[in-house]
Amino acid sequence: MAEKIDINSTINGQARTLHAFPMERLLDVLREQLSLTGTKEGCGEGECGACSVLIDGQLVNSCLVPVAQVAGCSIKTIEGIAISDDQLHKVQQAFIECGGAQCGICTPGMVIAALSLLEKNSRPSEADIREGLAGNLCRCTGYMKIFESVVRAVRSV
Amino acid sequence: MRAYVPSYQLVSPPTLSEALEALSQNDGAWKPFAGGTDLMVLLEAGKLPQKNYVNLWNLKELRGIEVSDDTVTLGALTTYTEVQNHAVLQKEFPMLVQAAKETGGIAIQNRGTLGGNIVNASPAADSPPALLAYDAELELISKQGERRIPYSRFHNAYKQMDLRAGELLRAIRLPRRSDRFDYYRKVGTRKAQAISKVCFAGVIRIVDGKVAHIRIALGSVAPIPIRCEKTESSLHNQPLNSEAIKLGASTMSSEIVPIDDIRSTRDYRLRVSLNLLQDFLARASTS
Ligand SMILES: Cc1cc2nc3c(=O)[nH]c(=O)nc-3n(C[C@H](O)[C@H](O)[C@H](O)COP(=O)(O)OP(=O)(O)OC[C@H]3O[C@@H](n4cnc5c(N)ncnc54)[C@H](O)[C@@H]3O)c2cc1C
Ligand code: FES
Ligand code: FES
């Protein structure tokens, strides 16, 4: 049996000390300990991207990261994306305007993946967008409205 | 069903020597943990009997890509994203870059490592064929010391390899060469995020119309990622005419041993492998 350990990380800009078993999934610690339930669980095996977060600016599936590996890291979740309490990020705004979200389960992950893409490539082509979101599955929209949302976010810069 | 998470240990030693010390305890009771993209899937499925892990993620001794005059050395923790972004790899080892691009989605590419891909030893993994075709060498390290072996001698049988208890893969070494033709194809069910049905990597150099150097390696057609040394010898020193290509294909059909499984059938895999061999040789002869 493992003991719980303390893990210091920065989460959405705030220093936090997490207390958890080392192999707990970052996904569960975010949702259950920090009540950051915007990060969703779809498959639990790396296939769907619903659990996407940024660790030190890099897109990862939080269902595949044991919490011990985020000691000293800076984590961003969907709750940390909006500009302020009353201003959404342009990617979030574009999803609303284009109908990029239906049931919403994939949406936080899609937004995080889109954001990560735009940070690396501020003028992505249609092909770049498809590639950047290839690890994120959606059962509702048929993807077109999601791609349109990202295109709109690109144009709104 | 999910595993009982509190029963799993994951310790994070700050240096390589401390990690090797931890791995040497209790005769194989501790195993390495890198990006977790294979291990966490097993954990979630309740299929991870091994309980004690040593976290490698922060060990800088296993990171980084170094380029010398004759070798590129990739730390075992090199991720697929790092492979894709590296200028020398893009230019001289395009098959490895291609394999990295076709492995999972971006989130997997940011976290999955070459070392994990090699030691996980799936016969369907996508970087091993490229590494075999490039004559990769492995640097292994344990508390007892270091050793180097050709990658083509690493995998012995399904999920069995020349890796001793307490030993880590430290790095992958690729000999540099420019004058060659490379050919890499991953065939899966769909373009994004599919596990291979067949993966083919070929390298060839033709001098005065004859094959002066050839390497052919495949994934998903045997219990291990394999280099087809018999097929290579059947083509060595031959001109690339239709007879030689036919001989190569018949040699390969007895050298690979594809099976039926959930992803594909034996017949399909055999047919695709032979088609890829012919396409490789045809393109090489006109390149
Ligand atoms: C959604 C998804 C898609 C994927 N797609 C592909 C794909 O298209 N192609 C493909 O080939 N793979 C794919 N994979 C598999 C996986 O991502 C790769 O095999 C990856 O490279 C594993 O690396 P890791 O660092 O995550 O390994 P880990 O899970 O950390 O470890 C895997 C194994 O390697 C051992 N190990 C790791 N590092 C070392 C080391 N330095 N020395 C000794 N032993 C070590 C561990 O003990 C463990 O047994 C996919 C996985 C997922 C979840
Ligand atoms: S829940 Fe993590 S990728 Fe699906
Ligand atoms: S909106 Fe329902 S899964 Fe994408």
Side-chain angles (χ1 to χ4, degrees):
Chain A
M1 283 288 291
E3 306 261 304
K4 285 195 176 186
I5 55 170
D6 283 337
I7 300 134
N8 295 314
S9 335
T10 306
I11 297 175
N12 296 329
Q14 279 189 319
R16 303 291 295 251
T17 301
L18 309 169
H19 189 63
F21 291 107
M23 201 67 109
E24 278 188 68
R25 303 183 302 175
L26 175 60
L27 170 66
D28 296 324
V29 176
L30 290 172
R31 289 180 54 86
E32 284 157 28
Q33 208 179 109
L34 302 175
S35 300
L36 295 172
T37 54
T39 304
K40 304 300 182 199
E41 172 159 16
C43 63
E45 53 184 44
E47 298 278 351
C48 77
C51 65
S52 302
V53 301
L54 301 176
I55 298 183
D56 294 334
Q58 286 205 318
L59 184 71
V60 302
N61 296 321
S62 63
C63 70
L64 298 183
V65 179
V67 70
Q69 285 192 332
V70 302
C73 295
S74 172
I75 296 159
K76 200 164 226 185
T77 70
I78 189 69
E79 288 87 351
I81 299 305
I83 310 295
S84 67
D85 277 352
D86 39 33
Q87 193 192 351
L88 291 175
H89 188 278
K90 63 177 188 207
V91 174
Q92 293 173 305
Q93 193 58 43
F95 269 72
I96 294 175
E97 287 165 11
C98 295
Q102 286 185 23
C103 80
I105 288 283
C106 71
T107 315
M110 288 287 180
V111 169
I112 299 266
L115 211 93
S116 154
L117 169 69
L118 296 186
E119 252 154 46
K120 281 181 288 178
N121 177 356
S122 60
R123 304 217 71 78
S125 66
E126 171 96 29
D128 296 334
I129 295 173
R130 282 172 185 254
E131 196 181 302
L133 300 184
N136 294 72
L137 303 183
C138 174
R139 293 299 302 269
C140 304
T141 64
Y143 299 100
M144 297 318 292
K145 296 211 180 279
I146 291 175
F147 299 148
E148 279 168 33
S149 306
V150 182
V151 170
R152 175 175 298 228
V154 171
R155 295 216 179 106
S156 70
V157 213
Chain B
M1 216 195 55
R2 257 188 102 179
Y4 182 59
V5 172
S7 68
Y8 288 86
Q9 296 273 8
L10 180 62
V11 298
S12 301
T15 63
L16 177 59
S17 62
E18 285 162 278
L20 294 175
E21 187 64 47
L23 286 164
S24 72
Q25 296 167 63
N26 304 338
D27 208 21
W30 291 81
K31 289 272 192 289
F33 192 108
T37 61
D38 280 312
L39 289 172
M40 290 301 277
V41 173
L42 295 172
L43 178 81
E44 182 59 19
K47 293 183 184 154
L48 197 59
Q50 169 76 31
K51 291 287 165 77
N52 303 318
Y53 291 92
V54 176
N55 178 16
L56 308 180
W57 193 252
N58 300 319
L59 300 179
K60 54 183 182 317
E61 297 92 334
L62 304 189
R63 281 210 179 276
I65 302 175
E66 271 171 45
V67 181
S68 73
D69 286 347
D70 55 2
T71 313
V72 178
T73 307
L74 301 107
L77 290 176
T78 301
T79 64
Y80 297 107
T81 300
E82 288 162 351
V83 167
Q84 291 173 64
N85 292 341
H86 197 273
V88 174
L89 295 178
Q90 287 166 5
K91 188 154 173 278
E92 297 177 23
F93 300 94
M95 301 196 298
L96 188 61
V97 173
Q98 185 71 22
K101 268 192 191 143
E102 296 192 32
T103 296
I106 311 273
I108 298 294
Q109 293 169 8
N110 283 340
R111 206 79 188 170
T113 67
L114 281 185
N117 202 222
I118 290 171
V119 178
N120 186 55
S122 161
D126 293 313
S127 55
L131 295 172
L132 286 169
Y134 285 139
D135 288 327
E137 220 185 7
L138 303 183
E139 255 181 48
L140 304 166
I141 187 165
S142 70
K143 227 183 119 185
Q144 279 70 46
E146 282 187 57
R147 62 187 180 113
R148 273 195 210 166
I149 58 163
Y151 181 42
S152 58
R153 299 286 168 265
F154 184 65
H155 300 288
N156 305 318
Y158 180 69
K159 297 255 177 189
Q160 298 208 351
M161 60 210 111
D162 183 4
L163 186 72
R164 300 169 189 159
E167 202 168 41
L168 276 182
L169 173 58
R170 202 211 63 84
I172 301 126
R173 299 167 59 89
L174 298 173
R176 296 177 73 181
R177 273 219 75 124
S178 47
D179 51 345
R180 61 186 169 203
F181 175 80
D182 295 35
Y183 177 95
Y184 181 87
R185 294 282 187 285
K186 167 175 173 173
V187 179
T189 303
R190 66 180 190 126
K191 210 151 176 283
Q193 294 233 50
I195 300 178
S196 293
K197 293 178 178 192
V198 174
C199 174
F200 184 107
V203 160
I204 194 166
R205 191 167 65 252
I206 299 170
V207 177
D208 299 332
K210 287 188 179 167
V211 176
H213 172 87
I214 182 163
R215 291 288 181 271
I216 296 166
L218 286 100
S220 296
V221 298
I224 58 172
I226 59 162
R227 207 184 113 190
C228 295
E229 293 180 36
K230 289 182 190 142
T231 309
E232 291 168 6
S233 343
S234 75
L235 291 159
H236 193 69
N237 278 329
Q238 301 296 315
L240 277 188
N241 55 28
S242 58
E243 268 147 66
I245 294 178
K246 234 184 248 165
L247 177 66
S250 74
T251 313
M252 182 183 272
S253 63
S254 58
E255 191 167 25
I256 61 177
V257 281
I259 55 166
D260 291 332
D261 67 9
I262 49 165
R263 281 188 294 280
S264 189
T265 62
R266 179 194 170 278
D267 293 349
Y268 178 84
R269 288 186 161 117
L270 184 60
R271 168 82 72 90
V272 169
S273 303
L274 298 179
N275 287 349
L276 291 173
L277 175 69
Q278 290 175 31
D279 190 43
F280 163 53
L281 298 174
R283 283 171 196 257
S285 65
T286 57
S287 71

